[in-house]
Amino acid sequence: MQSSSFKLSRRQFLYAGAAASSLATIGCSSTSISTATTSTASTGMTADDAIPLNFNENPLGLAPKAQQAVAEALPNAWRYPDAARSQLMTAIAENISVAESQLIYGNGSSEVLKMALDALVQTNTQLVMPDPSYGVIIDYAMARGVPVVKVKLDNNWQTDIATMKAKVAAHNGPSIVYLCNPNNPTGLLLPQSELNQWLDKASSQLSFIVDEAYVEYVQQAGFVSAVERVKQGQSHIVVCRTFSKIYALAGLRVGYGVAHSELIKLMQAQASIDNANLIGCVAAKASLESPKWLELSLQSNSQAKALVYQQLTELGLEYLPSETNFIFHKVNGDSELYMQRMAKAGILVGRPFNHGEGWNRLSIGTPAQMQYFCKTLVKFRELGWV
């Protein structure tokens, strides 16, 4: 078996990171293009660093208005974040049209998941979830002694709602159902009608935690967020969202939950004191006030995904059409070895997942970065590696 001799040269890195040249093709203003280049460069990456396509981050970085808000807030970092958090929650409430009493702040959506589980758990509760899916909630459940029932995705990589329902029905006690929509690592939306019908059955014995970390990327017509069920009065549904993905605040840890006001009170009792981050709060609020940057991020993501789709199709590598900023695709070989070879080529790709041997989750970078990935994938095919 041949070993990889790839190394990301300075020229290749600069090419891969040149967001401006590619984004110019989608009609962005010179100001936005310049900012995109600055944001990429400001991540601290050097010519010897790999291209990070493994954590589903927004490669364009913070919106210009968010960067400005951070700079202006830094001199006040000695103060507690209460006012900034309050202003952010007001902005979120207006953005998604809910009452502030239906919102809770989290140190990233991962903390919201923990608060939701802690608030919903009862005696003899089980947690039912798809597999593979985002797994941090498993650790929270295990810490509380809550048994976790994993339901394998079906043959089409879709969440098997029918089997999950059967697991709930067979349990003599309360069930908490965790659903990631779109699902991670597949990037697929859950079946809309089937999901909504089940959410409408929420009760004291059947609670739902719906993780919508990637909801801003969803383009599918007819998609309805689980937030709508909360607005309709459902009191046993928690929707978790984050500013880590399209809003590019992964390092600042800002998330929020949406639920009935009475359930929010129960979650508040589980929250750590002063869990808000002043800088994160002002950056998040400014991000909500930057619709053009959101549009730019969506355009860049769509263009970059199209490049990868085309290359995977040409190579005959199966993939799942994604409603997120990552693609789950076939690699025709050992996933771990594929990761190692990509790393040697200067590209970091996703980790292996349960039941996903021979598949890989690829985060979407800038169009230029994905062009470099595609060239690398072609080289891998020439070497007989994929």
Side-chain angles (χ1 to χ4, degrees):
M1 187 175 294
Q2 301 179 58
S3 62
S4 172
S5 59
F6 291 145
K7 187 176 178 69
L8 188 63
S9 68
R10 179 175 179 80
R11 181 177 182 181
Q12 288 169 330
F13 171 76
L14 292 174
Y15 170 72
S21 60
S22 292
L23 292 176
T25 65
I26 55 178
C28 306
S29 69
S30 59
T31 301
S32 296
I33 294 168
S34 173
T35 307
T37 308
T38 302
S39 298
T40 304
S42 68
T43 60
M45 294 171 62
T46 68
D48 294 325
D49 288 331
I51 300 173
L53 304 180
N54 55 339
F55 283 128
N56 306 338
E57 298 149 331
N58 183 341
L60 303 189
L62 276 67
K65 188 169 183 176
Q67 294 185 44
Q68 181 180 355
V70 168
E72 292 175 353
L74 277 174
N76 293 317
W78 58 277
R79 303 196 65 185
Y80 282 103
D82 301 68
R85 179 181 56 198
S86 177
Q87 292 167 11
L88 170 62
M89 301 311 282
T90 298
I92 293 173
E94 293 175 353
N95 183 262
I96 62 174
S97 301
V98 299
E100 289 186 51
S101 62
Q102 294 174 296
L103 294 174
I104 189 169
Y105 180 95
N107 188 254
S109 61
S110 54
E111 186 187 26
V112 179
L113 291 173
K114 185 178 188 305
M115 291 187 291
L117 180 76
D118 289 343
L120 292 169
V121 71
Q122 304 174 59
T123 301
N124 196 32
T125 297
Q126 68 171 357
L127 175 69
V128 182
M129 63 180 291
D131 184 34
S133 190
Y134 184 61
V136 71
I137 198 168
I138 296 173
D139 296 329
Y140 299 149
M142 291 179 64
R144 292 199 59 124
V146 175
V148 179
V149 179
K150 299 179 183 179
V151 176
K152 185 179 178 181
L153 302 181
D154 67 21
N155 292 333
N156 295 315
W157 294 100
Q158 183 56 268
T159 298
D160 188 348
I161 291 180
T163 300
M164 294 181 74
K165 284 183 176 180
K167 296 294 184 181
V168 169
H171 179 63
N172 184 26
S175 294
I176 300 173
V177 176
Y178 170 77
L179 298 167
C180 188
N181 194 30
N183 192 33
N184 177 9
T186 63
L188 298 178
L189 281 173
L190 276 64
Q192 186 74 64
S193 177
E194 194 175 3
L195 170 62
N196 289 338
Q197 289 176 22
W198 200 19
L199 291 177
D200 288 339
K201 302 295 184 182
S203 69
S204 61
Q205 295 295 296
L206 175 59
S207 303
F208 292 91
I209 299 175
V210 184
D211 188 341
E212 293 186 347
Y214 300 92
V215 69
E216 292 86 2
Y217 285 103
V218 175
Q219 301 292 301
Q220 185 170 302
F223 169 75
V224 178
S225 165
V227 168
E228 295 305 312
R229 261 56 198 175
V230 175
K231 292 180 183 179
Q232 292 168 12
Q234 280 286 11
S235 58
H236 293 87
I237 298 174
V238 180
V239 185
C240 303
R241 291 190 175 182
T242 184
F243 281 83
S244 294
K245 302 307 177 183
I246 200 166
Y247 291 114
L249 303 185
L252 293 179
R253 315 309 302 133
V254 182
Y256 64 96
V258 188
H260 189 280
S261 57
E262 292 303 313
L263 181 50
I264 289 294
K265 290 178 182 178
L266 296 177
M267 293 172 65
Q268 288 283 11
Q270 304 295 331
S272 58
I273 189 170
D274 290 329
N275 62 339
N277 178 319
L278 171 65
I279 304 303
C281 287
V282 298
K285 181 175 180 291
S287 296
L288 289 177
E289 298 166 351
S290 303
K292 289 185 178 180
W293 189 255
L294 185 71
E295 181 182 357
L296 176 65
S297 296
L298 288 171
Q299 288 177 322
S300 174
N301 185 68
S302 295
Q303 184 183 14
K305 277 202 301 187
L307 291 170
V308 179
Y309 285 162
Q310 180 179 348
Q311 189 63 74
L312 291 172
T313 299
E314 291 177 0
L315 294 175
L317 293 174
E318 187 178 354
Y319 66 88
L320 303 182
S322 173
E323 292 288 338
T324 66
N325 64 337
F326 56 84
I327 299 173
F328 198 54
H329 69 93
K330 200 76 178 289
V331 296
N332 289 340
D334 180 82
S335 300
E336 193 71 45
L337 181 58
Y338 173 77
M339 288 175 57
Q340 294 171 8
R341 286 169 167 166
M342 274 291 174
K344 289 181 180 178
I347 302 172
L348 301 179
V349 295
R351 64 191 183 281
F353 290 87
N354 291 344
H355 320 301
E357 182 54 46
W359 288 72
N360 186 262
R361 189 195 68 186
L362 173 74
S363 300
I364 300 303
T366 65
Q369 287 173 335
M370 303 323 292
Q371 286 174 349
Y372 177 68
F373 166 81
C374 290
K375 289 185 176 182
T376 303
L377 200 63
V378 170
K379 179 61 69 174
F380 277 25
R381 170 57 63 83
E382 293 172 354
L383 293 169
W385 291 350
V386 296

